[in-house]
Amino acid sequence: MSNEFRLEDVTDGKQYGIHDMVRVGCGDCEGCSACCRGMGTSVILDPYDMWNLERALGEDTKAIFRDHLEKHVQNGLILPNLKMAGEEEACTFLDENGRCGIHPYRTGLCRLYPLGRKYDETENGGFFYILMRDACQKRNLTKVKLRKWIDTDNLPENDAYHVRWHWFVRTMEQKMPGVSVPEQMKLAEYILKLFFEMPYRTKESFYPQFEKRMGMAARKCGNTTGERKDR
């Protein structure tokens, strides 16, 4: 979850909010699925993504991990990423026409692309949106309102959730070096199970379920509520 880079090196240099217009319109990706291929382990999921995948597929989490995900070790945590498969290293959700088979339920990073989030590490702990320069292979992109592009219900609530998850992950990453290796493994496996392997109730709102699991994580792992400790 680290975002240690110089904005001027990789973005258009601007900061965006949900009501801003951004040049990301790509004609519905017609004839192109470049950003769904060769992404390695970079499309890392968060708990909201897992809830959405369960809604999309109607499968248990074991089947979803088996067919579509890999377990990715990052700074002591084990987080799932979308699996790339075949000679073209394509996302397993791409159909024979190169279209996303779960588009209404696609992951948060897929919704954002070529946008990203830059978190404020020093002040209020929030984030702003950034546009990655030359990330999309299409040219002559058109302007779209950012909120429409992300296409997520209850976006302010979703943004608040992303701040909570970001700071939870950061707190756990900072905690890991201070405990023994066996304890690190126990914590990493517990977080993976709690937020990704334990099924969600897909007909109910995600956010109360997430908050309940955050409470469980706080009791198990200590001060990991997702709130800034230095306010």
Side-chain angles (χ1 to χ4, degrees), residues 44-58:
I44 298 173
L45 275 63
D46 59 54
Y48 185 80
D49 294 329
M50 198 69 203
W51 176 74
N52 255 336
L53 288 184
E54 291 181 52
R55 292 171 67 208
L57 301 176

